[in-house]
């Protein structure tokens, strides 16, 4: 097997397993896969190993039975938890998933104290904050995935609307992963031209509504479970930037210490990702309405954090 970094994925459900497949297909890292449903994690690891063999790839996916197996991981991706059911908001998952994130974070602290942690479990911003508190890791090593996905969704809607290439678009979506996400059109570019110069406000509002509703639309069409190809591809992009020390900018859920006028909260902002995790937060110039929604978004995250009585 190739001598590559090790990534552990906690939660071998839809997002976790799809992420494992994407990372190994790209020959980025060997994977250790853990789930409370141990037989399921084992079954998926065996099946994915067969897929890698079919593609003649010498990458390892191994199921692990306990948390000792995560030791030596460069990155731990946490997708353990309940997904939304039709009609549920991400916030409805708060209490149940907080218990899971608490116990998983304690194990990461114990067995992978040098790892970078990428949280995916919803409600994302609150779970990232909780993991930061429980692990006690430097905030640069605890981050959440949502902005990459929300930006990708916006890109897809813009490309369809304007009939242009996705690769010519650079979207920026900040804020919480939910109703109060903040698409920043002054910083969303089509061939380096801001979208505010291309589309009318009413069109931009329609794109925002589509982006905010994208996750719920998938939940309602699926009937059980929530989106996973888009989320897994978004985790993959973050993992790649970190492992390859790319120092590229991605919207990610980061701890803020005064940036954007916000403090002691995890929220989606543009971040430079590299081998340290979040190398730095990029501060964009926002319009007054944009920074007002961002502040409101932070307030709603803080209200949920207070409900958990972490401190
Ligand atoms: P699902 O396919 O149900 O997988 C979750 C897995 O977690 C299941 O296999 C469970 O057995 C496992 N699990 C539960 N408790 C534990 C535990 N204590 N330790 C280890 N494993 C456990 O869900 P999914 O993969 O679709 O989604 C996983 C989480 O990610 C959910 O909370 C989703 O809401 C969230 N999610 C977030 C985004 C974002 O963009 C932030 C996108 C998609 C999903």
């Amino acid at each position: 097997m190739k001598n590559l970094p090790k990534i552990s994925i906690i939660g071998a459900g839809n997002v976790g397993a799809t992420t494992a497949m994407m990372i190994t297909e790209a020959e980025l890292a060997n994977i250790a896969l853990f789930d409370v449903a141990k037989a399921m994690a084992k079954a998926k690891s065996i099946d994915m190993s067969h897929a890698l063999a079919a593609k003649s790839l010498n990458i390892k996916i191994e199921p692990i039975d306990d948390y000792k197996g995560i030791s030596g991981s460069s990155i731990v991706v946490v997708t353990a938890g309940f997904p939304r059911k039709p009609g549920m908001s991400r916030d409805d998952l708060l209490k149940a998933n907080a218990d899971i994130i608490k116990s998983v974070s304690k194990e990461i602290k114990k067995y992978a104290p040098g790892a970078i942690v990428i949280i995916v479990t919803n409600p994302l911003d609150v779970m990232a904050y909780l993991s930061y508190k429980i692990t006690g890791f430097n905030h640069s090593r605890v981050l959440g995935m949502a902005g990459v996905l929300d930006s990708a969704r916006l890109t897809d809607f813009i490309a369809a609307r304007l009939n242009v290439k996705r690769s010519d678009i650079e979207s920026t979506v900040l804020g919480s992963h939910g109703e109060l996400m903040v698409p920043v059109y002054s910083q969303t570019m089509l061939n380096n031209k801001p979208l505010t110069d291309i589309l009318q406000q009413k069109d931009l509002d329609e794109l925002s509504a589509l982006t905010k509703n994208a996750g719920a639309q998938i939940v309602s069409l699926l009937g059980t479970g929530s989106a996973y190809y888009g989320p897994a591809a978004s985790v993959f992009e973050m993992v790649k930037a970190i492992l390859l020390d790319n120092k590229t900018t991605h919207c990610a859920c980061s701890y803020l210490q005064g940036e954007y006028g916000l403090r002691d909260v995890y929220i989606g902002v543009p971040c430079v990702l590299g081998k340290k995790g979040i190398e730095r937060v990029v501060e964009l110039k926002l319009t007054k309405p944009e920074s007002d929604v961002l502040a409101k978004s932070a307030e709603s995250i803080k209200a949920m954090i207070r409900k958990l009585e972490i401190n």
Side-chain angles (χ1 to χ4, degrees):
M1 289 296 160
K2 278 200 174 170
N3 191 15
L4 288 171
K6 171 177 173 180
I7 294 183
S8 291
I9 300 183
I10 313 300
N14 284 336
V15 180
T18 311
T19 302
M21 198 65 230
M22 287 182 180
I23 290 172
T24 48
E25 280 180 311
E27 300 184 85
L28 259 187
N30 293 310
I31 300 286
L33 196 58
F34 178 84
D35 199 291
V36 279
K38 290 185 183 167
M40 186 270 286
K42 189 169 179 184
K44 288 193 179 182
S45 302
I46 294 169
D47 191 13
M48 285 192 271
S49 291
H50 296 167
L52 295 170
K55 294 180 154 217
S56 298
L57 295 174
N58 297 308
I59 309 293
K60 192 159 77 179
I61 297 191
E62 57 170 357
I64 51 172
D65 269 354
D66 60 44
Y67 277 97
K68 275 190 211 125
I70 71 169
S71 60
S73 302
S74 305
I75 300 176
V76 180
V77 177
V78 182
T79 69
F82 300 101
R84 282 192 284 170
K85 296 196 176 104
M88 272 175 102
S89 77
R90 293 176 179 91
D91 304 354
D92 292 334
L93 301 169
L94 182 64
K95 281 270 177 347
N97 282 350
D99 289 343
I100 294 171
I101 292 300
K102 267 186 210 160
S103 74
V104 171
S105 299
K106 281 182 193 155
E107 304 286 0
I108 296 173
K109 180 181 181 162
K110 188 165 170 194
Y111 292 108
I116 290 167
V117 182
I118 301 179
I119 300 289
V120 182
T121 307
N122 272 318
L124 190 266
D125 311 272
V126 186
M127 296 302 122
Y129 183 91
L130 181 58
S131 185
Y132 160 64
K133 286 286 174 183
I134 303 284
T135 56
F137 291 180
N138 186 287
H139 55 82
S140 63
R141 287 202 287 125
V142 182
L143 53 158
M145 183 294 291
V148 176
L149 174 63
D150 295 330
S151 301
R153 285 173 171 166
L154 178 58
T155 292
D156 199 38
F157 291 124
I158 295 169
R161 177 74 181 241
L162 296 174
N163 197 20
V164 295
K165 284 190 201 156
R166 294 176 184 135
S167 53
D168 286 341
I169 301 164
E170 237 181 277
S171 291
T172 302
V173 181
L174 312 186
S176 69
H177 181 54
E179 264 310 293
L180 292 172
M181 66 181 70
V182 189
V184 180
Y185 291 110
S186 56
Q187 309 284 340
T188 291
M189 306 294 183
L190 170 60
N191 289 320
N192 297 322
K193 200 171 176 193
L195 223 60
T196 40
D197 291 357
I198 298 168
L199 286 171
Q200 307 272 319
Q201 190 57 46
K202 109 175 162 8
D203 300 314
L204 299 177
D205 290 345
E206 272 173 35
L207 288 168
S208 298
L210 286 169
T211 307
K212 282 178 197 175
N213 191 45
Q217 184 195 15
I218 293 168
V219 168
S220 123
L221 287 168
L222 279 175
T224 48
S226 56
Y228 51 100
Y229 293 111
S234 304
V235 177
F236 171 82
E237 288 302 316
M238 294 172 76
V239 162
K240 187 167 84 175
I242 293 168
L243 282 186
L244 304 183
D245 194 24
N246 278 345
K247 309 254 186 342
T248 38
T249 304
H250 304 259
C251 293
C253 179
S254 168
Y255 188 66
L256 296 189
Q257 297 176 294
E259 300 93 337
Y260 292 94
L262 304 172
R263 217 167 260 290
D264 195 32
V265 68
Y266 264 81
I267 193 164
V269 287
C271 299
V272 175
L273 299 186
K275 65 176 186 293
K276 291 186 196 144
I278 293 184
E279 305 268 334
R280 70 185 171 84
V281 168
V282 178
E283 280 204 74
L284 299 174
K285 204 169 164 0
L286 299 184
T287 62
K288 172 91 171 63
E290 286 163 351
S291 56
D292 284 352
V293 187
L294 191 66
K296 212 169 144 195
S297 199
E299 246 339 290
S300 81
I301 296 165
K302 284 187 171 187
M304 278 199 279
I305 290 171
R306 282 194 291 274
K307 278 193 205 159
L308 290 180
E309 298 170 358
I310 300 165
N311 296 313

